[in-house]
């Protein structure tokens, strides 16, 4: 299928006006490119519910700290477009929005927060824990760029993968707080069929040996879910089995946490509204995250 590629906010708004006139239902899949099967699944999910789908491809400087991998982050626009064009979406209009940094940040953008100028969005109370504990800049950058994408594309629905579960919670709360007229749909994590490793653009950094060990964290999450389904609700027991599996394979675990799905605060037991079991670990210089839902679904 042919895919239209737009590079400026002006082009996007012109296209969006045409969609409005035709009564199209518009879905957004926001990405930083380096597309993999998980991204394509989001697009296919959006296409089942929307007549037009925008796939944004933008490596967002605001969510990187000065010491992180902004410059090394893979930029593969041509192959990303080719992957999208290979999809069979006969009843859906597909558009790629690949804006320039100067379009998204007219005042310029530095990865050094003290040098940043302009408008930024923070979700206080949801951004400080878990990923925010080691990456305090991250969700400020995510919320800001996602809000800009919402304004530029005006979607009826936006689709995000459960792998980034805290991001999903933060964005859903931002949409509610800032009165965005759209629905957020969280799509289950897509995993490697053999190992269970969550698909991620950063997996390309892993060596063969690291790819063999990395799924141990997910295996621990699965063991914890089995325990929960057998009646175990105590957080310490669920966290311990995740750590045990990770330690067996020598994973450098950064954190494992059992959290409330309402406010992401750490909890001691899985309550009636369920809980999120999540964590982060490093394989060499590559940082990975994963999670599993206990007793609830988005």
């Amino acid at each position: 299928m042919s895919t239209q590629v737009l590079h400026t906010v002006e082009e996007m708004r012109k296209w969006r006006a045409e969609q409005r006139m035709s009564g199209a239902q518009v879905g957004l899949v926001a990405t930083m490119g380096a597309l993999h099967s998980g991204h394509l699944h989001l697009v296919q999910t959006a296409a089942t519910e929307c007549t037009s789908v925008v796939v944004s491809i933008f490596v967002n400087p605001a969510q990187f700290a000065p010491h992180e991998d902004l410059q090394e982050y893979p930029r593969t626009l041509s192959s990303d477009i080719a992957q999208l064009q290979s999809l069979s979406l006969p009843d859906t209009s597909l558009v790629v929005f690949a804006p320039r940094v100067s379009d998204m940040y007219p005042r310029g953008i530095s990865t050094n927060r003290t040098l940043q100028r302009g408008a930024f969005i923070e979700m206080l109370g949801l951004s400080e824990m878990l990923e925010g504990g080691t990456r305090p800049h991250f969700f400020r950058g995510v919320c800001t760029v996602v809000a800009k994408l919402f304004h530029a594309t005006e979607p009826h629905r936006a689709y995000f993968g459960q792998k980034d579960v805290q991001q999903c919670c933060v964005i859903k709360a931002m949409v509610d707080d800032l009165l965005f007229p759209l629905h957020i749909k969280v799509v289950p994590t897509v995993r490697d069929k053999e190992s269970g490793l969550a698909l991620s653009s950063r997996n390309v950094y892993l060596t063969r040996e690291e790819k063999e060990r990395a799924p141990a964290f997910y295996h621990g999450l699965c063991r914890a879910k089995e325990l929960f389904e057998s009646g175990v609700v105590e957080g310490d027991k669920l966290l311990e089995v995740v750590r045990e599996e990770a330690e067996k394979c020598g994973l450098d675990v950064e954190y494992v946490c059992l959290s409330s799905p309402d406010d992401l605060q750490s909890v001691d037991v899985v309550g009636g509204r369920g809980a999120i079991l999540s964590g982060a670990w490093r394989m060499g210089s590559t940082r990975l995250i994963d999670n599993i839902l206990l007793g609830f679904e988005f």
Side-chain angles (χ1 to χ4, degrees):
M1 63 178 295
S2 62
T3 303
Q4 188 176 3
V5 182
L6 308 177
H7 291 286
T8 69
V9 173
E10 182 180 1
E11 289 173 336
M12 171 51 64
R13 286 181 171 157
K14 181 180 178 181
W15 175 86
R16 187 62 184 86
E18 294 169 353
Q19 301 303 302
R20 189 179 300 109
M21 292 293 292
S22 67
Q25 284 285 309
V26 176
L28 170 67
V29 177
T31 83
M32 293 210 302
L35 301 187
H36 51 66
S37 297
H39 295 116
L40 301 183
H41 180 63
L42 291 176
V43 175
Q44 291 168 320
T45 302
T48 66
E49 301 178 349
C50 302
T51 52
S52 297
V53 176
V54 179
V55 179
S56 65
I57 297 177
F58 179 70
V59 180
N60 177 34
Q63 66 194 65
F64 289 82
H67 66 279
E68 292 180 335
D69 59 346
L70 174 61
Q71 298 306 318
E72 292 76 26
Y73 197 88
R75 291 162 172 82
T76 56
L77 181 60
S78 296
S79 63
D80 292 342
I81 293 171
Q83 288 191 74
L84 293 169
Q85 290 176 331
S86 71
L87 295 176
S88 177
L89 307 172
D91 301 318
T92 304
S93 171
L94 184 62
V95 171
V96 171
F97 180 42
R100 300 164 300 192
V101 173
S102 58
D103 281 312
M104 298 301 286
Y105 294 97
R107 297 176 183 270
I109 184 67
S110 169
T111 57
N112 185 336
R113 181 168 172 169
T114 64
L115 300 178
Q116 292 175 353
R117 299 293 182 269
F120 293 85
I121 296 174
E122 293 185 88
M123 280 303 301
L124 302 178
L126 290 176
S127 299
E128 299 86 354
M129 64 286 290
L130 303 174
E131 289 298 287
T134 55
R135 306 182 74 195
H137 58 285
F138 180 70
F139 288 110
R140 181 174 182 263
V142 168
C143 287
T144 299
V145 78
V146 170
K148 289 171 182 274
L149 290 170
F150 287 166
H151 283 306
T153 64
E154 297 182 26
H156 296 94
R157 293 171 175 264
Y159 298 79
F160 294 89
Q162 183 197 311
K163 181 184 76 68
D164 302 297
V165 67
Q166 185 176 7
Q167 173 176 283
C168 294
C169 294
V170 168
I171 290 173
K172 284 172 67 71
M174 180 186 76
V175 165
D176 289 342
D177 282 11
L178 298 185
L179 309 181
F180 279 105
L182 63 97
H183 173 71
I184 300 297
K185 181 158 185 176
V186 179
V187 180
T189 302
V190 177
R191 301 181 179 277
D192 181 89
K193 292 181 180 179
E194 294 183 0
S195 70
L197 181 65
L199 299 189
S200 169
S201 298
R202 287 191 167 91
N203 289 358
V204 299
Y205 299 151
L206 299 176
T207 66
R208 179 179 298 181
E209 184 270 339
E210 288 171 341
K211 286 181 180 178
E212 292 176 353
R213 292 192 294 119
F217 194 90
Y218 176 59
H219 298 163
L221 292 175
C222 290
R223 277 191 59 200
K225 187 168 186 177
E226 290 173 359
L227 273 181
F228 168 72
E229 291 176 344
S230 73
V232 175
V233 296
E234 294 85 359
D236 57 348
K237 296 178 181 178
L238 299 173
L239 295 173
E240 182 59 28
V241 297
V242 180
R243 294 192 183 98
E244 284 179 358
E245 287 293 325
E247 289 172 2
K248 285 180 186 178
C249 290
L251 303 190
D252 180 13
V253 176
E254 192 172 283
Y255 72 85
V256 188
C257 189
L258 187 70
S259 307
S260 162
D262 297 319
D263 57 13
L264 299 179
Q265 294 294 323
S266 177
V267 295
D268 295 326
V269 297
V270 182
R273 292 182 58 80
I276 299 168
L277 183 57
S278 65
W281 71 103
R282 290 188 178 275
M283 304 296 303
S285 61
T286 305
R287 186 177 185 275
L288 301 174
I289 60 174
D290 205 349
N291 68 85
I292 205 162
L293 308 182
L294 303 178
F296 85 103
E297 295 179 357
F298 281 106

